[in-house]
Amino acid sequence: MNILVVGGGGREHAIVAAIERSRQDPSIYAVMSKKNPGIAALCEDFLLEKETNVEKVVEYAVSKNIELVVVGPEAPLSVGLADALEAEGISVASPKQKVAQLEFDKAWARNFMRKNNIAGCPIFDVFTDKDAMDAFIDELGNVAIKPAGLTGGKGVKVMGDQLPNLKAAKKYAASLLDMGSVVVEENLVGEEFTLQAFVDGKNLAFMPTVQDHKRAFENDLGPNTGGMGSYNAAGEILPFLTAEDVESSKQIMNDTIKALYKETGQEYKGTLYGQFMITKDGPKVIEFNARFGDPEAMNVLPLLESDYVDVLAAMASGTLDKIDVKFSSKATVCKYAVPAGYPDDPTKDREVTVGDIGDAILFYSSVYEKDGKVYTTGSRAVAVVGVADSIEEAEEIAQNALENISGDLHYRSDIGKSFLIQRRIDHMNKIRGQ
Ligand SMILES: Nc1ncnc2c1ncn2[C@@H]1O[C@H](COP(=O)(O)OP(=O)(O)O)[C@@H](O)[C@H]1O
Ligand SMILES: [Mg+2]
């Protein structure tokens, strides 16, 4: 089977590695904007091209007799890559434009949730007018401000974080009106977590819950990033969640998939990423993404015991209920090494060398290979994943590996450490009034 993976980051390296483990011995192809050495090493052939160049990607897929495609990042989904590939008779295990809207139009997504009575929707409204928006901001008193469109994780600002007060919130919200509609919602208090599922249009197969760390520096300080690292516990439930929290979140995702079909007449096929805040009132939806998270893909895909190619084919053909999707009950800790100065003023084009990383799994992200050497680009560079029976052991594996990767890099040594996890548990206990 010829399979094409679109995208060249750490998430896509994890996707390619999982496909490569398949018993079906598939031939793997890739389209990526820069040569990711990890992906290139596992591919039959690859095309260096912008992933949003729909015409070029389709042309490449046709020329290589591709039978199945996985699209890693959101940008190509927002310009209809899945639709264009399917029009050529190629199976795609990623969502079409109409249903991927759930990610790339936050205003649409919130209105859709409200209209369909999806649980966990925060109090919100969508605005194109400053006066009405200011009044709503005052009414809520504590808000998150979101531009409706894709911003690569840089558009949302929250009071108490990036926005010191109501005046700053109004000013920021007004500045976004030029780009389109603005979503204003209540500021949710709790702990964030990720629940991802494979979806075939009707059936969902859930993955273990994961927690990402967005802040650049130790102790959750500094600016937001694409994600500095993430962990999961052995089994599917994070230490600060209850089984009921996870069940309610699954219900929300099941209801969302049903409602999406009702609303658009189109089936959602592919990975669905649910980003939740667990609050005193249970899980609330921060947003949905129409693809794996990066780093979260690197936690869960190494644990997938079922054949990923079977899962991909089942998503595309609507037969996920016919296969048993299993994950091994292990903990993982994923940590990113990023360029010095990342995210605000990162160094670039610095060599990265990988020494003895022991039992850790390595995924290359935003790096490029030239003359056999690997260089940084300014974005997250390489991730290492420890897999073990406990989070502590997994953390040690990841940490030891990072210490043997050299370059002009930094990382968060606290991710996955017991004191930080205990802080999450204490935080939730306090919120739940325990
Ligand atoms: N209603 C909210 N209350 C509190 N924090 C929020 C809220 N919405 C978003 N956030 C914070 O902002 C981050 C980014 O928001 P999100 O909606 O996920 O947009 P994106 O990932 O596209 O930037 C979230 O990870 C979360 O930390
Ligand atoms: Mg998000």
Side-chain angles (χ1 to χ4, degrees):
M1 192 181 221
N2 291 345
I3 303 181
L4 171 66
V5 176
V6 177
R11 164 182 50 210
E12 290 77 25
H13 187 181
I15 290 172
V16 168
I19 294 173
E20 207 257 343
R21 294 204 312 266
S22 169
R23 276 175 277 101
Q24 301 185 34
D25 196 23
S27 299
I28 308 173
Y29 296 81
V31 177
M32 46 192 165
S33 50
K34 296 191 192 75
K35 184 181 172 189
N36 178 315
I39 295 174
L42 299 174
C43 281
E44 211 75 25
D45 184 65
F46 58 88
L47 173 70
L48 295 181
E49 178 61 66
K50 263 175 75 174
E51 293 111 2
T52 47
N53 190 335
V54 172
E55 204 179 317
K56 283 274 162 57
V57 178
V58 172
E59 194 184 289
Y60 181 72
V62 170
S63 77
K64 298 295 176 190
N65 296 313
I66 298 297
E67 296 160 84
L68 182 59
V69 181
V70 190
V71 183
E74 61 277 21
L77 299 171
S78 75
V79 294
L81 179 60
D83 308 61
L85 288 161
E86 279 197 21
E88 291 293 331
I90 300 170
S91 293
V92 187
S94 296
K96 287 187 182 174
Q97 198 173 24
K98 229 184 204 173
V99 284
Q101 247 188 119
L102 191 61
E103 168 164 8
F104 68 76
D105 187 342
K106 292 190 199 310
W108 186 89
R110 284 303 192 213
N111 282 323
F112 157 81
M113 286 186 76
R114 177 152 67 194
K115 183 175 165 198
N116 290 279
N117 287 315
I118 306 286
C121 184
I123 302 168
F124 79 95
D125 236 319
V126 178
F127 297 93
T128 51
D129 168 77
K130 178 165 163 52
D131 290 341
M133 185 163 71
D134 284 354
F136 188 67
I137 292 173
D138 279 327
E139 188 189 321
L140 287 183
N142 192 1
V143 292
I145 305 287
K146 306 184 169 189
L150 289 179
T151 58
K154 291 180 183 73
V156 173
K157 293 194 179 180
V158 181
M159 273 175 70
D161 259 348
Q162 304 87 353
L163 301 169
N165 49 41
L166 286 170
K167 192 172 160 222
K170 287 179 197 165
K171 191 173 167 206
Y172 180 61
S175 77
L176 298 174
L177 283 174
D178 291 344
M179 294 184 329
S181 39
V182 176
V183 181
V184 176
E185 55 193 46
E186 64 175 311
N187 187 354
L188 300 165
V189 178
E191 280 291 326
E192 269 182 84
F193 70 95
T194 302
L195 175 61
Q196 302 170 109
F198 296 119
V199 186
D200 71 351
K202 296 177 210 63
N203 307 290
L204 286 82
F206 290 95
M207 309 182 213
T209 52
V210 180
Q211 187 175 44
D212 183 17
H213 297 71
K214 289 282 179 207
R215 298 306 191 99
F217 309 126
E218 315 261 308
N219 291 307
D220 299 316
L221 297 173
N224 273 333
T225 68
M228 293 295 291
S230 46
Y231 68 95
N232 75 285
E236 63 168 4
I237 304 171
L238 287 161
F240 56 86
L241 294 177
T242 65
E244 196 191 338
D245 295 333
V246 177
E247 278 318 304
S248 315
S249 307
K250 288 180 177 177
Q251 190 59 50
I252 288 171
M253 288 172 68
N254 272 308
D255 292 346
T256 299
I257 289 301
K258 264 200 210 101
L260 262 182
Y261 181 67
K262 204 177 97 193
E263 186 78 24
T264 66
Q266 203 160 81
E267 291 190 327
Y268 185 104
K269 292 168 185 249
T271 298
L272 178 66
Y273 171 111
Q275 190 180 346
F276 292 92
M277 182 83 82
I278 189 72
T279 70
K280 65 175 175 19
D281 305 316
K284 301 277 179 177
V285 178
I286 294 285
E287 67 161 345
F288 292 109
N289 290 333
R291 34 96 192 162
F292 271 115
D294 185 338
E296 292 95 328
M298 297 186 281
N299 297 94
V300 297
L301 280 171
L303 301 182
L304 181 62
E305 285 180 343
S306 316
D307 194 308
Y308 187 38
V309 172
D310 290 344
V311 176
L312 290 171
M315 279 195 277
S317 64
T319 53
L320 208 49
D321 55 332
K322 302 282 188 299
I323 61 172
D324 194 12
V325 180
K326 275 203 183 124
F327 291 86
S328 68
S329 187
K330 295 267 187 198
T332 68
V333 172
C334 173
K335 300 199 194 202
Y336 254 118
V338 303
Y342 172 85
D344 291 336
D345 189 20
T347 59
K348 291 180 182 143
D349 306 309
R350 305 290 174 89
E351 193 182 345
V352 177
T353 50
V354 177
D356 178 9
I357 60 162
D359 291 333
I361 308 170
L362 179 101
F363 295 115
Y364 285 101
S365 188
S366 291
V367 291
Y368 62 95
E369 191 188 295
K370 206 176 141 195
D371 304 327
K373 290 182 174 176
V374 177
Y375 299 92
T376 58
T377 64
S379 257
R380 296 176 295 173
V382 287
V384 290
V385 180
V387 180
D389 290 327
S390 68
I391 300 173
E392 285 95 333
E393 292 165 275
E395 194 277 334
E396 228 168 88
I397 295 170
Q399 185 62 32
N400 286 337
L402 277 179
E403 284 164 14
N404 289 303
I405 295 176
S406 31
D408 193 23
L409 300 165
H410 78 91
Y411 55 82
R412 279 183 59 169
S413 61
D414 60 346
I415 293 170
K417 288 240 165 76
S418 302
F419 79 90
L420 195 58
I421 288 165
Q422 191 56 47
R423 205 180 288 168
R424 312 284 190 230
I425 297 170
D426 294 345
H427 183 213
M428 268 332 289
N429 283 344
K430 197 170 150 212
I431 285 172
R432 294 185 213 260
Q434 282 163 1

